[in-house]
């Protein structure tokens, strides 16, 4: 019962009305909101040791004051526990960590509507429905035609039938399919757009090349009998071609499991030249302008087992017009990280190095049997200048310097930027270091500005190659400088990063930066050092949108061409801004996971998000970053939009 106070001050019992109920609920809501706002401010005003304890105490008090919400809280906690357990279970499925689901769980029906059916959580391939204005869109693509070429007679008959059916089901009508192979194994077909080409002698590659010579379409699509195109594949390629001047196109893919379902999607990055030398990520289905293919030459039989990889490397040497369609456009019966024939894959890359005039070697990746990485030889004996800002951090700096003495690359100078140290022990250590002929200590007493310190160090450095290094790092692999310098000297490379590990548990702190909806962040943070990651991204050399400034190598002319670090970013995102500017100049950033350092992160300055003031500054600098580079706002060309765009990266949005 609600008590109503009369004007005279006595209470009158009355039944609650709808209006009084609304007033009571509104008052209760406002009081709780004010209490919550007060509770959020109190912990922030406390010293760090008591902050967490205060939050827990206030949360407990709020729970006691609102018993009616207990049931909902317990249900939410149970759901969260289920999510955590499910996530841990998925993490054990390496390297893709995605569950297989049958495609029938979601399919387009008439009129462009989708029919949802009950299915367990996980990856589900959802066929696209034709857009309502499909006829108008198709008319705008007039003039584009495709020749799909495929060998016949080298796969199971049912697989070949599935491949042919996937082509005849295309939305886009302007195609021909050329099947080439022995007459006795050629599947019967009466479709007017399918041509059969009898190849009396030679193997599968000879048959494909014969089909390529017969092709008349503007673009040639390579297809194998163990692959199937999605119904919208050629339409999607045509749309991408009409939107620009792409001459070589590739797309995302998934696998066909033994039960006919779809599993293990590979959501790929945009064009990544160094990734392609780590693994044939563009896939075996590709779309190539016919004139470019004739100029490059067809598949080469001497590279059998890696013939598609060899073709992709040769084609991308002949054109810069490379397009990636970030949609599942074909299904394959082989996993994306399945290595090609190892000897063929090595020969393919060694051939590419000879064509490009590069001295490089292929070496195995210990954590991924049958996979290899590239190691470029350093040209000449360039001086590597290592620029290290520091302040009142003498013992940590001394440990960093001592670790560099273990480096196999000996032509090194160290430039230390002392940002106003006052600690006697640190001053004594700096004095001793300054006496060495390979070390210079530059005093700069000014408010901390990471960009300014590094720019001063770069101007004072004499080296052809610059390595910007935090004082709280340690060299872990002796050949890290050699490996990074080999990449830094490549004409197309901007910034080179390394793998940084937290020393206590040897977990990943950095192997590359992803630029998601909530801003730049480290990929595979806290993962085990040897965890392959999503399609080997934690252990193979990949291109990334950015690498951390805690360990960043770059050739001096490239650094000078973009005018160094931007001093408007004194603390955060200066490394990201530098990497973005390198990308805007047409260069690529790469991470070299075989170059390993230990990182005692933020021993120098502490965590950026450790206080309300630092968090506010971090937000300001992030906003400034995207004002300078609006094209990268919520966009990372080296991170697929089909993957999770916030939180832990490289997960599929369920």
């Amino acid at each position: 019962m609600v008590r109503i106070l009369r004007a005279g001050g006595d209470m009158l019992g009355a039944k609650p009305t709808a209006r009084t109920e609304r007033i009571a609920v509104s008052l209760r809501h406002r009081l709780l909101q004010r209490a919550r706002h007060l509770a959020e401010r109190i912990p922030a005003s406390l010293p760090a040791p008591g902050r967490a304890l205060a939050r827990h105490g206030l949360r407990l008090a709020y729970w006691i004051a609102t018993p009616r919400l207990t049931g909902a809280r317990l249900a939410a906690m149970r759901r969260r526990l289920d999510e955590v357990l499910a996530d841990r279970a998925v993490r054990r499925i390496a390297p893709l960590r995605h569950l297989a689901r049958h495609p029938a769980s979601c399919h387009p029906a008439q009129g462009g509507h989708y029919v949802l059916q009950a299915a367990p959580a996980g990856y589900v391939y959802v066929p696209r429905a034709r857009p309502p204005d499909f006829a108008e869109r198709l008319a705008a693509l007039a003039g584009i035609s495709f020749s799909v070429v495929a060998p016949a007679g080298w796969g199971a008959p049912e697989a070949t039938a599935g491949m042919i059916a996937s082509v005849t089901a295309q939305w886009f009508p302007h195609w021909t399919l050329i099947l080439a192979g022995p007459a006795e194994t050629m599947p019967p077909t009466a479709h007017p757009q399918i041509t059969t080409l009898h190849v009396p002698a030679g193997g599968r590659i000879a048959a494909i090349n014969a089909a390529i010579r017969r092709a008349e379409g503007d673009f040639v699509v390579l297809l194998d009998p163990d692959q199937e195109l999605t119904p919208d594949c050629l339409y999607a390629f045509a749309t991408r071609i009409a939107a620009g001047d792409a001459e070589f196109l590739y797309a995302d893919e998934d696998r066909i499991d033994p039960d006919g379902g779809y599993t293990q999607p590979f959501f790929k990055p945009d064009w990544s030249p160094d990734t392609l030398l780590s693994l044939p990520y563009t896939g075996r289905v590709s779309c190539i302008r016919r004139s470019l293919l004739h100029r490059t030459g067809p598949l080469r039989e001497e590279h059998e087992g890696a013939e598609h990889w060899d073709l992709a490397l040769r084609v991308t040497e002949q054109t810069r017009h490379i397009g990636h369609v970030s949609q599942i456009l074909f299904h394959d019966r082989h996993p994306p990280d399945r290595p090609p024939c190892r000897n063929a894959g090595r020969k393919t890359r060694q051939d590419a190095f000879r064509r490009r005039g590069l001295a490089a070697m292929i070496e195995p990746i210990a954590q991924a049997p049958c996979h290899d990485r590239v190691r470029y030889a350093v040209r000449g004996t360039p001086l590597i200048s290592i620029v290290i800002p520091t302040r009142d951090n003498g013992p940590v700096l001394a440990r960093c310097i001592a670790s560099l003495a273990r480096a196999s690359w000996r032509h090194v100078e160290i430039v230390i930027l002392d940002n106003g140290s006052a600690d006697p022990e640190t001053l004594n250590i700096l004095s001793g270091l300054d006496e060495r002929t390979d070390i210079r200590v530059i005093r700069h007493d000014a408010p901390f500005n990471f960009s300014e310190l590094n720019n001063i160090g770069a101007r004072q450095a004499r080296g052809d190659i610059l390595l910007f290094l935090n004082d709280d790092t340690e060299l872990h692999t002796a050949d890290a400088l050699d490996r990074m310098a080999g990449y830094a000297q490549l004409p197309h490379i901007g910034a080179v990063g390394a793998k940084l590990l937290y020393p206590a548990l040897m977990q990943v702190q950095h192997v590359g930066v992803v630029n998601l909806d909530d801003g730049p962040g480290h990929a595979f943070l806290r993962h085990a050092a040897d965890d392959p990651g999503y399609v080997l991204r934690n252990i193979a050399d990949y291109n990334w949108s950015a690498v951390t400034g805690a360990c960043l190598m770059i050739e001096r002319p490239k650094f000078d061409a973009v005018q160094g670090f931007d001093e408007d970013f004194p603390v955060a995102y200066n490394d990201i801004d530098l990497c973005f500017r390198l990308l805007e100049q047409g260069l690529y950033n790469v991470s070299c996971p075989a170059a390993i350092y230990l990182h005692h992160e933020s021993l120098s300055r502490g965590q950026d998000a450790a206080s309300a003031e630092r968090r506010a500054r971090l937000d300001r600098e992030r906003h400034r970053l995207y004002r300078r580079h609006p094209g990268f706002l919520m966009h990372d060309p080296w991170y697929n939009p089909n993957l999770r765009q916030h939180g832990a990266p490289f997960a599929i949005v369920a």
Side-chain angles (χ1 to χ4, degrees), residues 15-349:
K15 291 183 178 181
T17 65
R19 181 171 180 274
T20 56
E21 283 287 1
R22 286 197 301 272
I23 292 171
V25 169
S26 177
L27 288 172
R28 185 164 59 241
H29 177 72
R30 290 179 185 176
L31 287 172
L32 286 174
Q33 284 292 98
R34 291 181 181 178
R36 289 180 65 182
H37 291 161
L38 180 63
E40 289 170 357
R41 287 197 299 270
I42 290 173
S45 65
L46 295 174
R51 198 174 297 143
L53 185 61
R55 285 198 182 100
H56 290 314
L58 289 166
R59 187 178 292 115
L60 178 60
Y62 178 67
W63 278 38
I64 292 172
T66 55
R68 69 187 185 282
L69 301 177
T70 300
R73 290 189 185 113
L74 292 175
M77 291 171 68
R78 282 194 295 271
R79 286 195 302 272
R80 177 59 184 149
L81 178 60
D82 290 341
E83 290 172 2
V84 170
L85 292 175
D87 182 62
R88 288 180 179 174
V90 171
R91 282 175 177 268
R92 288 193 289 270
I93 302 174
L96 290 176
R97 303 193 182 96
H98 303 306
L99 302 179
R101 292 293 176 252
H102 197 275
S105 56
C106 184
H107 61 87
Q110 295 296 324
H113 298 290
Y114 284 88
V115 176
L116 300 179
Q117 300 174 356
Y123 169 67
V124 177
Y125 166 67
V126 180
R128 290 177 178 262
R130 297 191 188 197
D133 57 345
F134 177 71
E136 293 82 354
R137 295 189 184 202
L138 191 60
L141 302 176
I144 299 174
S145 61
F146 297 96
S147 290
V148 182
V149 300
W154 281 272
E158 58 273 17
T160 301
M163 174 199 70
I164 295 172
S166 76
V167 177
T168 59
Q170 291 298 301
W171 299 353
F172 190 78
H174 308 301
W175 58 264
T176 57
L177 171 60
I178 304 171
L179 298 173
E184 60 272 16
T185 59
M186 187 66 64
T189 178
H191 197 290
Q193 292 174 261
I194 298 178
T195 299
T196 57
L197 184 62
H198 297 160
V199 180
R204 185 178 58 86
I205 293 178
I208 297 172
N209 288 339
I212 289 173
R213 289 191 294 271
R214 182 67 67 89
E216 296 180 352
D218 303 312
F219 288 82
V220 175
V221 177
L222 302 178
L223 189 60
D224 270 352
D226 52 1
Q227 298 166 330
E228 296 178 9
L229 304 182
T230 63
D232 60 330
C233 177
L234 298 183
Y235 171 76
F237 278 148
T239 301
R240 178 66 177 80
I241 291 164
D245 52 1
E247 294 188 309
F248 173 77
L249 297 101
Y250 64 96
D252 300 342
E253 59 184 280
D254 63 12
R255 317 270 69 75
I256 304 174
D257 68 22
D259 298 326
Y262 303 129
T263 182
Q264 292 186 327
F266 182 14
F267 293 118
K268 305 174 184 180
D270 283 356
W271 171 234
S272 307
D274 302 287
T275 305
L276 188 59
L277 285 163
S278 293
L279 69 160
Y281 84 95
T282 53
R284 295 184 299 145
V285 171
S286 56
C287 176
I288 308 170
R289 186 178 290 277
R290 182 162 56 93
S291 58
L292 172 62
L293 186 55
H294 287 325
R295 189 166 73 245
T296 303
L299 299 176
R300 300 195 292 182
E301 295 192 52
E302 62 268 29
H303 290 273
E304 186 170 9
E307 66 276 5
H308 290 277
W309 195 357
D310 169 67
L311 180 62
L313 288 168
R314 288 187 289 118
V315 165
T316 53
E317 290 169 2
Q318 298 294 323
T319 182
R320 289 182 172 272
H321 305 301
I322 302 167
H324 167 221
V325 181
S326 53
Q327 297 172 213
I328 299 289
L329 293 188
F330 70 96
H331 312 294
D332 202 326
R333 286 179 168 81
H334 299 295
D337 58 342
R338 185 193 74 160
C341 172
R342 192 167 193 181
N343 289 337
R346 288 184 167 189
K347 181 180 179 181
T348 288
R349 286 175 283 182

Side-chain angles (χ1 to χ4, degrees), residues 8 55 99 173 262 269 324 355 380 385 458 487 492 553 562 572 580 596 635:
R55 285 198 182 100
L99 302 179
Y262 303 129
H324 167 221
R355 289 194 304 273
S385 295
Y487 264 117
H492 71 280
M553 184 178 282
V562 295
F580 283 178
I596 302 176
H635 174 60

Side-chain angles (χ1 to χ4, degrees), residues 351-479:
D351 252 20
F353 300 145
R354 281 193 290 271
R355 289 194 304 273
R356 301 173 188 188
L358 297 173
M361 60 182 292
I362 307 293
E363 59 182 31
I365 299 177
Q367 307 93 330
C370 300
H371 287 277
D372 301 296
R373 66 163 39 90
V374 177
R375 178 171 178 173
Y376 294 98
V378 181
R379 297 194 307 275
T381 55
L383 176 66
I384 298 178
S385 295
I386 304 176
V387 178
I388 307 176
T390 192
R391 173 175 175 162
D392 286 334
N393 219 18
V396 172
L397 173 66
R399 180 177 57 200
C400 175
I401 300 297
S403 75
L404 294 171
R406 302 193 294 268
S408 56
W409 187 263
R410 306 306 304 162
H411 198 203
V412 168
E413 70 163 355
I414 299 173
V415 180
I416 298 173
L417 279 300
D418 175 25
N419 192 208
S421 293
D423 171 62
E425 182 183 15
T426 297
L427 293 173
N428 185 50
I429 290 171
L430 289 170
S431 177
L433 292 173
D434 201 24
E435 294 176 0
R436 287 175 45 175
T437 57
D438 60 336
I439 296 179
R440 281 180 291 154
V441 178
I442 299 170
R443 182 89 176 182
H444 184 67
D445 294 342
F448 177 78
N449 185 316
F450 182 83
S451 298
E452 181 184 38
L453 291 168
N454 279 316
N455 286 341
I456 292 171
R459 287 194 293 270
Q460 295 293 323
R462 298 187 293 264
D464 310 292
I465 296 175
L466 305 172
L467 173 62
F468 299 100
L469 191 66
N470 276 20
D471 64 357
D472 55 358
T473 59
E474 291 181 69
L475 182 73
H476 188 63
T477 51
D479 59 359

Side-chain angles (χ1 to χ4, degrees), residues 568-574 616-627:
D568 284 342
F569 293 92
V571 180
Y573 301 122
N574 33 58
R617 187 204 63 230
L618 194 66
D619 289 341
R620 289 195 301 273
E621 295 193 358
R622 184 171 61 252
H623 295 156
R624 183 181 302 121
L625 174 71
Y626 292 124
R627 285 197 299 272

